[in-house]
C-alpha cells in the first residue's frame, strides 16, 4: 500500500491501556481528511505516531513513503492540540526558530502570510488572541512546505469566526500547494465544509474511512416496521446502526446497490448521520477498508 | 539550535550574572577589609613557614625576652626540625600562629556566611536543570520543538551541552571570587578539610554544580513535572552530598600516623593548628606523646580531585539518562 499515511497493524499501548488497537489503513495523497472520534478514541495518539512523538508498540506506520519520525519529519507539518507555542517569544522569534530548526523553511511566505492576517510580528505570542495564535502555529507548520499536514483539534479552542478564518486560511494554502491534510475533531460538522475524506476512530480502531461523497451516496436511512430478527434487505450490504422509534425502527445502512423493498421508506443521509452511526456502532463489525480512494 | 537555547535561557543567564554581581559585591565588601588586615598582620609573609611546623611554642608561656634555654628541662626532646632552627625563628612561628588565631577569631562570623554557599550549586539544578525538559512537557511545547526538523537527540545534546557549559563558566567565576575571598580565613583556620571550607571552594564546586544540573535535567526528563523535578533535585543533591561527605570522603586515601612530643610536660609547646592536617583521631600513647591519625594537609588537592571525580562520574550517566529519556519519551 502507498499513500500519505499508511498503517499496518498499528498498535500503541500506554501501560495497560491500548490507545490504538491494530489499525490498518491507507490515506491517499492529496486528500483532506477529517479524523473524527470521541475523546480518548486515539486521534491524538495516531497523529503523534505519524510525527514520531509516540512510538508504535506493534505494527508499522509510514508517512509519505518513509518511516514516521526523524527521517520524514522535515516533510511533515504538525500543529499539536491547543497549538503550543513559546508564549514569551514574539511571532518573529518563532519564525526565526522555525528557520533555524528546519532545513526547508519559507520565511518570506510566513512574514507575508502573518502580515496579511494583520498579526503583529513584534508582539509576544502570549498576548495574541487564541485565533491569532492558531494562525501563527499553522503558519509555522506550513512554512516547512510539508507534503503532509497534521492538525490536532485545530478548531477546538476557537470561536466560530476564528474557525472560519482558520479554515479559509488553510484552504488557501492547500490550493496554492497541494498536500495531504489530516485534521482531527470530535465533531465532523466542524470540518465537513473542507474535508473530502472522513476517518472515524472509535476505541482505538478505525471504524470508517472513505470519501465523503461516496459515504453519503452509499448510506441510506431506512424506516420500517419492527422486526423479529435481523432484517435481510436486498441491496443492503450492512446495517451500521439501528434504533427504535415508537412503532418503527430506523436503520442506517450501507448499500451495495438500489434498495428495493416495499416495507422500507428510504431517506438520504448527511455526512454527520453517517459519522454518528459509525461512532455509535458496536465494535463487532469488521474494519472497513478504504475503497476507491483515488484523488 | 544554538540560537534557540540562547533565546530560551538568556533570562536565566542574566539572572545568574546579576546574582554573581551581588555575590561579588558582597565578597569585595567584606573581603577587602579582611585582606587588608591579613596583609597588615604580616600573615602572607609568615604563614608559609609557620604552617609547616607540627608544633609551635606557646607564646603565652614564653618570657618576653627570647631566652628559653635555661628554662628547658633537659629530658624534653624537641621535635627534630625545632632543634635545627634558631629559637628566634621558632618564636616567630609561634607569634605568627597566635596572630593567625586572633585573625580567624575575628572573621569567623563573616565566614559562617559561607555555610549558605553550600547550597548554591543545588540552585543550578533547581532553576537551570529541572525546568529544562519538564517545563517543555508541562507547557506542551515539546510537541512543537520535537516536531521541527531537528532530531530529539540533537535537541537534547545541544541544549544540555550549552547549558552545562554556561553553568561551568558561571561556576568558574563564582569559585574564583569565592576562593579569593575565603583564602585568608582558610589558611588562618588550619581547617581546610572542614566541610565549611572543603565543600565551598576549590574544584569540588564544579563537580557539585554539574551533578546538581544533571540531576535536575534527568528528574525533569523522567517525571515531566517541574515541581517533582525540583523536589528530586533537593532531596537527591542533599542526600548524595551528605552520603559522600560522611561515608566516603574519609576513605579517599589511607590515613597516616603522626606522633607529637608530649605537649604537657611542663614545657610551653602546643600543637600547631595551622598545619592543616585532617585529624581523624587523637590519643596519648604510653610514652606520653600524642598520637594522631591524620589525612596530611598536602593531600588536600588529591581529596578535592577525587571528590570532584565522583560527582562528575555521577553527573555523566544522569545526563546520558536524560538524553535517553528525551529520545524514547512517549508524550
Amino acid at each position: 500500500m502507498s499513500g500519505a499515511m499508511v498503517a499496518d497493524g498499528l498498535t500503541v499501548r500506554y501501560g495497560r491501556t491500548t490507545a490504538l488497537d491494530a489499525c490498518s489503513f491507507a490515506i491517499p495523497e492529496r486528500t483532506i481528511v477529517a479524523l473524527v472520534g470521541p475523546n480518548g478514541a486515539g486521534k491524538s495518539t495516531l497523529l503523534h505516531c505519524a510525527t514520531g512523538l509516540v512510538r508504535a508498540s506493534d505494527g508499522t506506520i509510514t508517512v509519505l513513503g518513509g518511516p514516521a519520525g526523524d527521517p520524514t519529519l522535515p516533510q511533515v507539518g504538525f500543529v499539536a492540540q491547543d497549538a503550543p507555542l513559546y508564549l514569551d517569544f514574539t511571532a518573529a522569534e518563532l519564525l526565526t526558530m522555525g528557520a533555524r530548526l528546519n532545513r526547508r523553511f519559507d520565511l518570506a511566505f510566513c512574514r507575508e502570510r502573518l502580515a496579511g492576517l494583520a498579526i503583529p510580528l513584534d508582539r509576544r505570542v502570549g498576548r495574541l488572541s487564541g485565533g491569532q495564535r492558531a494562525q501563527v502555529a499553522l503558519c509555522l507548520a506550513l512554512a516547512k512546505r510539508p507534503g503532509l499536514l497534521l492538525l490536532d483539534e485545530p478548531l477546538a479552542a476557537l470561536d466560530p469566526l476564528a474557525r472560519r478564518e482558520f479554515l479559509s486560511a488553510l484552504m488557501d494554502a492547500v490550493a496554492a500547494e497541494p498536500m495531504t491534510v489530516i485534521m482531527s475533531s470530535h465533531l465532523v460538522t466542524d470540518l465537513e465544509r473542507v474535508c473530502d475524506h472522513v476517518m472515524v476512530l472509535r476505541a482505538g480502531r478505525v471504524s470508517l474511512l472513505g470519501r465523503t461523497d461516496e459515504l453519503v451516496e452509499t448510506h441510506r436511512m431506512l424506516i420500517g416496521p419492527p422486526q423479529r430478527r435481523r432484517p435481510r434487505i436486498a441491496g443492503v450490504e450492512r446495517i451500521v446502526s439501528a434504533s427504535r422509534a415508537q412503532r418503527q425502527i430506523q436503520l442506517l445502512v450501507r448499500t451495495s446497490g438500489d434498495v428495493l423493498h416495499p416495507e422500507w421508506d428510504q431517506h438520504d443521509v448527511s455526512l454527520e448521520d453517517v459519522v454518528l452511526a459509525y461512532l455509535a456502532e458496536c465494535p463487532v463489525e469488521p474494519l472497513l477498508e478504504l475503497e476507491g480512494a483515488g484523488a | 539550535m544554538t540560537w534557540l537555547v540562547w533565546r530560551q535561557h538568556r533570562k536565566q543567564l542574566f539572572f545568574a550574572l546579576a546574582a554573581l554581581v551581588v555575590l561579588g559585591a558582597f565578597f569585595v565588601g567584606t573581603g577587602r577589609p579582611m585582606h587588608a588586615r591579613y596583609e597588615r598582620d604580616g600573615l602572607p609573609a609568615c604563614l608559609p613557614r609557620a604552617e609547616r611546623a607540627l608544633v609551635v611554642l606557646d607564646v603565652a608561656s614564653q618570657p618576653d625576652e627570647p631566652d628559653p634555654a635555661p628554662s628547658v628541662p633537659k629530658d624534653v626532646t624537641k621535635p627534630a626540625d625545632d632543634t635545627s632552627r634558631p629559637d628566634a625563628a621558632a618564636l616567630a612561628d609561634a607569634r605568627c600562629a597566635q596572630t593567625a588565631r586572633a585573625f580567624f577569631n575575628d572573621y569567623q562570623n563573616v565566614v559562617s556566611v559561607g555555610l549558605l554557599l553550600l547550597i548554591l550549586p543545588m540552585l543550578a539544578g533547581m532553576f537551570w536543570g529541572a525546568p529544562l525538559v519538564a517545563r517543555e512537557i508541562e507547557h506542551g511545547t515539546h510537541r512543537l520543538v520535537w516536531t521541527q526538523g531537528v532530531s530529539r537527540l540533537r535537541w537534547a545534546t545541544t541544549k544540555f551541552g550549552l547549558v552545562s557549559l554556561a553553568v561551568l563558566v558561571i561556576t568558574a567565576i563564582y569559585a574564583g571570587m569565592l576562593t579569593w575571598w575565603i583564602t585568608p580565613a582558610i589558611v588562618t583556620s588550619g581547617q581546610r578539610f572542614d566541610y565549611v571550607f572543603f565543600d565551598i571552594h576549590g574544584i569540588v564546586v564544579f563537580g557539585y554544580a554539574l551533578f546538581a544540573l544533571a540531576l535536575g535535567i534527568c528528574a525533569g526528563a523522567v517525571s515531566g513535572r517541574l515541581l517533582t523535578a525540583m523536589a528530586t533535585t533537593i532531596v537527591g543533591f542533599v542526600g548524595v552530598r551528605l552520603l559522600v561527605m560522611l561515608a566516603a570522603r574519609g576513605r579517599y586515601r589511607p590515613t597516616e600516623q603522626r606522633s607529637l612530643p608530649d605537649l604537657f610536660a611542663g614545657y610551653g609547646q602546643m600543637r600547631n593548628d595551622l598545619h592543616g592536617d585532617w585529624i581523624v583521631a587523637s590519643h596519648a600513647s604510653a610514652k606520653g606523646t600524642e598520637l594522631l591519625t591524620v589525612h596530611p594537609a598536602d593531600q588536600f588537592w588529591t581529596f578535592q580531585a577525587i571528590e570532584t571525580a565522583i560527582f562528575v562520574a555521577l553527573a555523566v550517566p544522569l545526563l546520558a539518562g536524560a538524553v535517553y529519556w528525551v529520545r524514547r519519551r512517549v508524550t
Side-chain angles (χ1 to χ4, degrees), chain A residues 32-43:
Chain A
I32 298 175
V33 183
L35 176 60
V36 185
N39 293 328
K43 304 188 296 291

Side-chain angles (χ1 to χ4, degrees), chain B residues 10-77:
Chain B
R10 62 185 184 192
K11 220 186 253 177
Q12 283 162 295
L13 187 67
F14 292 146
F15 192 81
L17 292 177
L20 276 184
V21 169
V22 172
L23 266 175
F26 170 77
F27 287 150
V28 170
T30 57
R32 280 184 58 191
M34 183 157 67
H35 277 261
R37 156 104 184 260
Y38 185 62
E39 300 275 341
R40 209 165 52 238
D41 286 355
L43 288 165
C46 76
L47 274 171
R49 223 189 87 96
E51 67 187 7
R52 280 206 297 271
L54 287 175
V55 289
V56 288
L57 298 173
D58 185 353
V59 177
S61 72
Q62 298 300 312
D64 287 343
E65 291 301 310
D67 185 24
S71 63
V72 178
K74 290 201 171 90
D75 57 333
V76 170
T77 46

Side-chain angles (χ1 to χ4, degrees), chain B residues 132-197:
Chain B
L132 213 61
V133 182
R135 199 168 49 186
E136 300 271 356
I137 291 168
E138 278 192 349
H139 291 196
T141 45
H142 63 299
R143 295 192 181 128
L144 172 70
V145 76
W146 291 352
T147 53
Q148 304 296 315
V150 168
S151 72
R152 287 194 220 178
L153 177 66
R154 212 182 119 206
W155 180 87
T157 48
T158 313
K159 198 149 170 139
F160 300 171
L162 288 175
V163 171
S164 303
L165 191 68
V167 164
L168 288 179
V169 169
I170 287 166
T171 307
I173 299 172
Y174 161 76
M177 294 195 307
L178 181 87
T179 303
W180 171 80
W181 178 69
I182 209 162
T183 297
I186 294 177
V187 292
T188 54
S189 75
Q191 297 164 21
R192 67 191 58 185
F193 277 107
D194 190 279
Y195 70 96
V196 185
F197 296 131

Side-chain angles (χ1 to χ4, degrees), chain A:
Chain A
M1 286 197 288
S2 71
M5 192 199 282
V6 180
D8 185 13
L10 179 65
T11 303
V12 173
R13 282 180 286 265
Y14 302 120
R16 271 187 215 163
T17 48
T18 302
L20 289 177
D21 189 2
C23 293
S24 296
F25 61 85
I27 290 171
E29 292 194 26
R30 302 194 177 179
T31 54
I32 298 175
V33 183
L35 176 60
V36 185
N39 293 328
K43 304 188 296 291
S44 291
T45 302
L46 178 58
L47 296 180
H48 290 170
C49 268
T51 56
L53 282 174
V54 168
R55 283 194 194 150
S57 315
D58 212 344
T60 58
I61 177 165
T62 57
V63 164
L64 301 169
D70 288 342
T72 46
L73 211 45
Q75 290 113 268
V76 176
F78 175 57
V79 178
Q81 195 164 1
D82 304 324
L85 297 170
Y86 294 117
L87 296 183
D88 58 331
F89 281 37
T90 64
E93 284 171 330
L94 281 172
L95 299 189
T96 308
M97 179 192 83
R100 299 220 172 213
L101 296 190
N102 293 285
R103 211 165 297 156
R104 187 171 51 172
F105 194 86
D106 198 336
L107 207 53
F109 158 84
C110 266
R111 292 217 179 92
E112 200 176 306
R113 211 180 143 77
L114 292 183
L117 292 161
I119 292 173
L121 281 175
D122 54 352
R123 191 178 296 173
R124 281 170 187 249
V125 183
R127 293 175 54 207
L128 298 177
S129 73
Q132 287 175 319
R133 274 211 289 273
Q135 293 282 12
V136 173
L138 175 65
C139 188
L140 276 176
L142 287 173
K144 288 168 96 175
R145 297 289 181 197
L148 175 63
L149 181 65
L150 306 171
L151 308 173
D152 195 358
E153 303 263 6
L155 306 178
L158 304 184
D159 61 55
L161 185 64
R163 283 179 188 208
R164 184 187 297 189
E165 284 171 353
F166 183 90
L167 287 177
S168 69
L170 177 65
M171 287 306 107
D172 289 348
V174 175
E177 186 146 348
M179 62 182 118
T180 309
V181 182
I182 302 176
M183 47 187 161
S184 70
S185 174
H186 46 260
L187 288 172
V188 72
T189 41
D190 283 343
L191 306 177
E192 200 170 2
R193 199 164 58 84
V194 295
C195 65
D196 52 35
H197 279 69
V198 169
M199 178 165 169
V200 175
L201 268 185
R202 201 182 158 285
R205 287 171 169 272
V206 182
S207 63
L208 176 70
L209 173 55
R211 290 173 58 108
T212 51
D213 50 1
E214 282 181 6
L215 291 175
V216 172
E217 271 171 31
T218 56
H219 287 80
R220 284 273 186 281
M221 182 75 82
L222 302 183
I223 299 175
Q227 305 286 317
R228 288 223 179 134
R229 62 181 72 162
R230 200 175 182 83
R232 287 176 173 275
I233 306 161
V236 169
E237 186 186 300
R238 81 182 254 234
I239 298 168
V240 181
S241 73
S243 59
R244 192 179 282 270
Q246 291 172 345
R247 289 168 184 282
Q248 296 174 319
I249 65 166
Q250 281 188 1
L251 304 177
L252 194 132
V253 299
R254 184 184 181 102
T255 59
S256 53
D258 290 335
V259 178
L260 298 169
H261 200 297
E263 259 189 346
W264 298 91
D265 283 342
Q266 292 186 42
H267 299 272
D268 288 341
V269 290
S270 67
L271 185 63
E272 193 187 1
D273 294 330
V274 177
V275 168
L276 283 174
Y278 280 89
L279 282 174
E281 180 203 29
C282 300
V284 290
E285 300 284 354
L287 297 186
L288 295 178
E289 290 193 353
L290 182 70
E291 294 165 353

Side-chain angles (χ1 to χ4, degrees), chain B residues 266-304:
Chain B
Y267 177 55
Q269 280 198 107
M270 53 195 286
R271 195 162 79 199
N272 184 8
D273 288 335
L274 289 178
H275 192 69
D277 284 340
W278 177 2
I279 297 167
V280 179
S282 148
H283 51 269
S285 75
K287 294 176 198 159
T289 57
E290 192 178 1
L291 261 182
L292 297 180
T293 308
V294 299
H295 290 296
D298 58 16
Q299 294 275 306
F300 178 78
W301 288 107
T302 311
F303 273 64
Q304 282 253 332

